[in-house]
Amino acid sequence: MRTIGLITALFLLPLLLSAGLALSTRAEHWSRARWDATGLAPDPATEAGAVVQVYAARAWGWKGAFAVHSWLAYKPAGAAAYERWEVVGWGVGRGAAAVRRNLRPADARWAGNDPELLVDLRGAVAGAIIPKLEAAIARYPYPAAYRTWPGPNSNTFVAWLGREVPELRLTLPPHAIGKDFLGRHFAAATPSGTGLQLSLGGLLGVAIGLEEGLELNLLGLVVGLDPRRLAIKLPGLGRLGLN
């Protein structure tokens, strides 16, 4: 009984609360939601240096109760526009590629949901990793596959980039469902490159890292502790902490 109570407290109650918050604020239809830029990406007209950014925003509709959608945006030094890369599911069943380029502005809202800036690198540091990111995009192992749960999905793609390019120092939020999907592998570096994770198909696993702290994954839902930021991680709600 104690085990059932603990699972309920850590996994189900936060998820139910998140579901209520997400579904109560959803737009009437995705086509009428906002997809416009937010101003989080510096204007290439005034920012001449290289920029690398990673974003995450609540997914659309019922998915937003559980998960975020994440993507990568970058521009080399002197470039007049950003490149945005992400994985989406629509059209994949009809033969479309899962990896898409420049669907929206670099810092756009996702179905009306404001994005959170997860990584923001500038100047020489950003310029040095852009070629590595482009090579990692080309190597992504699931370019024509999409599965909402447990992956591969948008968060699987961005986590892949983090593991392949540890200089990105990417820490995905706990409700980035799909980030722990490792395909046929059972062990890998954490997306930040600062730790190790074990995972059975993204459905059961554990991760420990300098940036991630400790995370437990049950059926794709993550609970954890982040000692560096004095935070806890809960399904649906994400990271809750003092900083």
Side-chain angles (χ1 to χ4, degrees):
M1 293 299 294
R2 290 182 180 180
T3 301
I4 294 175
L6 183 62
I7 291 175
T8 300
L10 291 178
F11 289 91
L12 297 184
L13 291 181
L15 200 58
L16 290 173
L17 178 58
S18 174
L21 294 173
L23 297 179
S24 66
T25 59
R26 66 176 181 172
E28 186 176 343
H29 190 270
W30 68 265
S31 63
R32 291 187 287 274
R34 295 183 65 178
W35 300 85
D36 55 320
T38 58
L40 289 173
D43 187 345
T46 57
E47 177 61 70
V51 178
V52 173
Q53 295 183 318
V54 177
Y55 294 92
R58 285 276 178 184
W60 163 253
W62 66 267
K63 295 179 185 179
F66 300 87
V68 295
H69 169 83
S70 59
W71 65 92
L72 167 76
Y74 62 80
K75 77 170 194 70
Y82 286 88
E83 293 276 328
R84 170 171 166 159
W85 292 90
E86 63 204 306
V87 161
V88 297
W90 56 76
V92 172
R94 299 188 297 275
V99 179
R100 310 287 176 91
R101 172 176 172 265
N102 296 339
L103 281 178
R104 307 286 179 184
D107 57 354
R109 294 173 176 86
W110 185 258
N113 298 311
D114 289 343
E116 177 187 359
L117 186 58
L118 304 179
V119 172
D120 187 9
L121 302 178
R122 310 283 180 96
V125 173
I129 70 171
I130 287 175
K132 298 179 181 181
L133 289 168
E134 292 174 331
I137 291 169
R139 294 195 305 270
Y140 179 60
Y142 318 109
Y146 182 91
R147 187 167 54 187
T148 300
W149 175 85
N153 57 27
S154 65
N155 301 315
T156 309
F157 172 68
V158 174
W160 161 267
L161 298 180
R163 294 186 186 99
E164 293 294 295
V165 187
E167 300 95 321
L168 197 61
R169 293 303 290 268
L170 168 68
T171 304
L172 283 165
H175 50 338
I177 290 179
K179 70 183 181 65
D180 300 318
F181 180 82
L182 304 179
R184 297 179 180 178
H185 301 284
F186 299 105
T190 57
S192 72
T194 65
L196 176 70
Q197 71 176 119
L198 306 175
S199 180
L200 296 175
L203 295 173
L204 181 66
V206 61
I208 185 167
L210 183 62
E211 293 294 332
E212 286 87 0
L214 174 65
E215 295 183 351
L216 301 176
N217 173 355
L218 176 62
L219 300 179
L221 303 175
V222 169
V223 299
L225 296 173
D226 185 351
R228 295 189 69 195
R229 300 171 182 84
L230 299 177
I232 60 172
K233 301 180 179 186
L234 295 172
L237 298 177
R239 185 174 64 85
L240 306 177
L242 299 179
N243 52 55

